[in-house]
Each structure stands twice: as C-alpha cells, then as structure tokens.
Amino acid sequence: MLPDFNKLAKALPEMEEIAKLLPDMDKIGENFTFLKSLLSSDKEKIDQLQEELLRTQLKYQRMLERLEKENKELRKVVLQKDDKGIHQRKVKKSLIDLYSEVLDILSDYDANYNTQDHLPRVVVVGDQSAGKTSVLEMIAQARIFPRGSGEMMTRSPVKVTLSEGPHHVALFKDSGREFDLTKEEDLAALRHEIELRMRKSVKEGQTVSSETISLSVKGPGIQRMVLVDLPGVISTVTTGMASDTKETIFSISKAYMQNPNAIILCIQDGSVDAERSIVTDLVSQMDPQGKRTIFVLTKVDLAEKNLASPSRIQQIVEGKLFPMKALGYFAVVTGKGSSGESIESIKDYEEDFFQNSRLLRQVTPNSTNFNVTSH
Ligand SMILES: Nc1nc2c(ncn2[C@@H]2O[C@H](COP(=O)(O)OP(=O)(O)O)[C@@H](O)[C@H]2O)c(=O)[nH]1
Ligand SMILES: [Mg+2]
C-alpha cells in the first residue's frame, strides 16, 4: 500500500520554519569577525606586551651585566689591593728589609755609624779605583753609580738594599720615583741623582761625607743582601782636597768594618803591585783572623796583560801573597776600563777572559772564576 503522500507532506515542517531554526549565518559570520578581531587585537596586545617585556628584560639584563662588570672590576681592585697589601706585608716581614729599615733608622740617629749595631751587611772596602763600585754594580746588575776616571767618584757611603722583584728598578727611601734600570735614560737620571745627593751631603770645605745615601735595587734573580759601597782609601791628599780627607775615609771605613757582623768584601786591584795596597793593613787590623773577610782581586785581565811575573797572581789567589787572611780568594773581571760599557758586555768580556786565560785556568780551574753576578 502506497503512503498517503499528502498527509506526509503536511506532516513535514514548512521550509520557512526550518529556515528559522537554522542559525543566522550572517550573525555568526559577524560574530566570528568580531571575535577574530577581538582575538587578533589581543594577540597584538600580547605581542606588544611580550615585546615590552623583552625590552624591559633586556634593559635590566644590560643593567645587570653592567653592574656585574663593575662588581668584577671592583673585586679585582680590592683583590689587587689586598694582594699588594699581603705582598708588602710579606716583603716587610722579610729579615733583610727589616735590617735595612733598622739600618736607615740608625743612620738617621747616628750619621757616623759609630753605634755597635749587630745587623749584618756586606761592606765593600778597597783602595781608590780598585773596582769597588764596579763589583757592586755587577751584583746589582746595573750601572747605577756616577763614573769618571782618575778621580774620586764615591764621596759618601752608599747603602744598597738588594732584593728579588719582578722589575729591575731602583728607589730612594725618601722619594717616590722609581728608576727603570732597563732604560738608559733612567740609569742616567739615577746616576745624576746619586751624584747630586753625594755633593749635597759633602759639607763646605770637605771632600767626603760620612752621611749615608740609601737606595734599594730590585730585580729578577737579584739576591737579597745589604751592600755598602765606601769611598776608596787613599795614601795622599791631592790639591783641592780637604786636608783631613785621608783620615776621614779611614774612619768611615773603620766604622763600617768594626761591626762584628759586617762581612768585609776586600777589593784589591790586580793590575797594580800588591805592595801598593793601602787597605790591606786596615783589613788585617779589623779582622785579623780573616773570619769575615772575602778577598776579591779585580782587573785580572789587565794583570795578565801587564804583570811581569804571572806567578804573583797565582800566589794572590792562593792567599799566599797578601799579609791578610780571608775566608776565600776570588779573581774577577768587572770592567773593561771604559765607563760606558753595559753589564752585559762586561759579562761577555769576563767570560771570554776566563775561557782564554792562560794564568787563571792553570791556577785552580773553575774555582777562581768567581762570577760575581751569579753569587
Ligand atoms: N780592565 C778592567 N777595568 C776594570 C775592572 N774593574 C773595574 N775596572 C775599571 O776601573 C775603574 C775604577 O773602577 P771603580 O769601580 O770606579 O773603582 P772604585 O774607586 O774602587 O769604586 C773604572 O774605570 C772601571 O771601568 C776590570 O776587571 N778590568
Ligand atoms: Mg767607588
């Protein structure tokens, strides 16, 4: 049986009614666009906010970085200061510096060094032009002293406190200037300064002074010690000199040598006859047993060239010729006779001499070649 299509058609909803039931697509569309715009504007806002956040973060990051850098730098400064402080404290604590300071204080109180202080130091004594200053310069590894030839150059005691340091420098205890000993202009300035101080210390009408000039020399490989360079002893007062010069030099040398804790570095000129030595008797008198005297024979290059009797050098370095006792006898070359030579060129010359020396290789191989720069 066929369905009653009419009834069925009537039972079906009207198309209009159905259309009413359908969602308003336009409205949905509208809403959708609105929503979309709403969403997109939010996204923009979010993007904007995020960007702003990033910028702020970056700003603070930079600020942080800057502060961290500043902090690092400040810490470095503090550390350096601290390190320096510790270092200085360490250096100050070292005995040799303490000795040096006490020596300075004592010299302020007693310019003549008559006080029997018991502080060790090496005192360089010898006849004028024997090579005292040259020996000291080889130890300090720099040509720091005023020079000239055939005249008295050292006019007052010079106390040099040697110590190890990263840079080769010289300093006076009362001035802040640091002389760079690797620079020729600083060396010249230092020599000039020493000369000025020497001249200033010599009183009107006098030739020498007992006032001590104090300086310190630091450098890589420099051994810690306190060295005192003295004016050379003389036998005759020449024109222009104060009449008591000879006695003054003797008394200054004596005052320094008298200290039982002073090591006497007795410098003798190998190029002149031993009989002409003035200092020998003085040293024998101060240290008769030779318990604190070291004998240094200089200018052995000239001696080998000029001396008529080579066996005399042999006798000297064996301690048999000079009427004085010493802990040891050494032969050195500390100069070439001219004043402008550098330490390096003198070292080369010394090495060359001992390698080719007939005399000193025969005497006692190796032991006579006392290389002052390495001791
Ligand atoms: N040929 C030579 N000359 C030297 C030697 N040692 C020092 N001289 C020179 O001797 C002179 C006097 O030296 P110096 O150290 O001033 O003697 P000082 O008066 O005892 O201090 C200087 O011209 C030096 O160059 C050496 O071993 N050989
Ligand atoms: Mg001298």
Side-chain angles (χ1 to χ4, degrees), residues 42-310:
D42 263 7
K43 202 183 168 281
E44 260 171 43
K45 264 190 190 161
I46 288 168
D47 280 352
Q48 272 176 11
L49 279 169
Q50 264 182 343
E51 231 169 85
E52 218 167 286
L53 196 75
L54 267 172
R55 268 203 303 272
T56 320
Q57 268 187 337
L58 212 73
K59 206 171 108 188
Y60 281 107
Q61 186 68 34
R62 281 196 191 126
M63 258 166 86
L64 259 170
E65 275 172 13
R66 211 175 54 225
L67 283 168
E68 267 175 16
K69 210 174 150 193
E70 270 179 29
N71 189 34
K72 225 178 178 177
E73 240 133 62
L74 281 168
R75 271 174 61 86
K76 208 167 114 187
V77 172
V78 169
L79 273 170
Q80 273 178 348
K81 269 195 178 168
D82 205 40
D83 191 38
K84 224 175 163 185
I86 288 165
H87 188 63
Q88 274 177 348
R89 256 175 271 139
K90 252 190 204 164
V91 170
K92 273 199 178 135
K93 267 183 193 163
S94 90
L95 269 175
I96 203 89
D97 283 296
L98 221 64
Y99 283 151
S100 175
E101 270 173 33
V102 175
L103 282 177
D104 283 339
I105 294 164
L106 279 174
S107 74
D108 286 343
Y109 282 109
D110 178 17
N112 292 318
Y113 261 98
N114 290 326
T115 327
Q116 272 282 327
D117 58 274
H118 298 280
L119 304 170
R121 78 205 63 171
V122 179
V123 178
V124 186
V125 293
D127 296 357
Q128 182 172 307
S129 286
K132 299 176 293 300
T133 300
S134 302
V135 168
L136 204 157
E137 283 184 329
M138 289 303 275
I139 297 170
Q141 289 174 39
R143 311 246 18 217
I144 53 177
F145 290 104
R147 314 161 193 166
S149 54
E151 58 169 324
M152 188 189 292
M153 290 311 298
T154 312
R155 288 174 179 267
S156 69
V158 184
K159 181 171 73 69
V160 187
T161 305
L162 298 162
S163 63
E164 176 122 55
H167 309 291
H168 202 190
V169 292
L171 277 155
F172 287 100
K173 95 177 191 209
D174 57 356
S175 104
R177 172 154 187 199
E178 205 174 65
F179 295 86
D180 184 343
L181 302 181
T182 59
K183 286 191 189 138
E184 195 43 56
E185 59 194 87
D186 272 35
L187 278 169
L190 177 62
R191 287 195 287 265
H192 183 66
E193 178 71 33
I194 293 177
E195 199 168 350
L196 276 181
R197 282 172 186 251
M198 273 182 189
R199 263 197 232 155
K200 234 169 77 185
S201 77
V202 176
K203 287 182 191 74
E204 187 80 40
Q206 293 290 301
T207 305
V208 288
S209 164
S210 57
E211 223 176 273
T212 311
I213 293 170
S214 293
L215 70 144
S216 67
V217 170
K218 291 172 199 213
I222 292 180
Q223 296 273 320
R224 284 190 171 278
M225 69 175 95
V226 176
L227 269 171
V228 184
D229 191 21
L230 294 171
V233 292
I234 54 168
S235 60
T236 307
V237 172
T238 55
T239 315
M241 279 186 184
S243 57
D244 64 350
T245 305
K246 184 180 158 181
E247 286 73 31
T248 309
I249 296 173
F250 262 92
S251 80
I252 295 171
S253 301
K254 256 188 177 169
Y256 274 94
M257 286 193 277
Q258 241 159 16
N259 184 336
N261 292 305
I263 293 163
I264 302 166
L265 205 59
C266 176
I267 313 294
Q268 299 274 8
D269 189 336
S271 69
V272 299
D273 295 335
E275 289 75 17
R276 279 170 55 192
S277 167
I278 307 152
V279 82
T280 307
D281 289 345
L282 187 64
V283 175
S284 299
Q285 204 185 316
M286 292 291 132
D287 180 27
Q289 266 111 53
K291 281 184 175 163
R292 51 187 180 91
T293 301
I294 295 168
F295 184 103
V296 180
L297 190 71
T298 60
K299 310 192 194 183
V300 285
D301 54 325
L302 294 180
E304 188 170 286
K305 246 189 265 170
N306 306 337
L307 280 191
S309 167

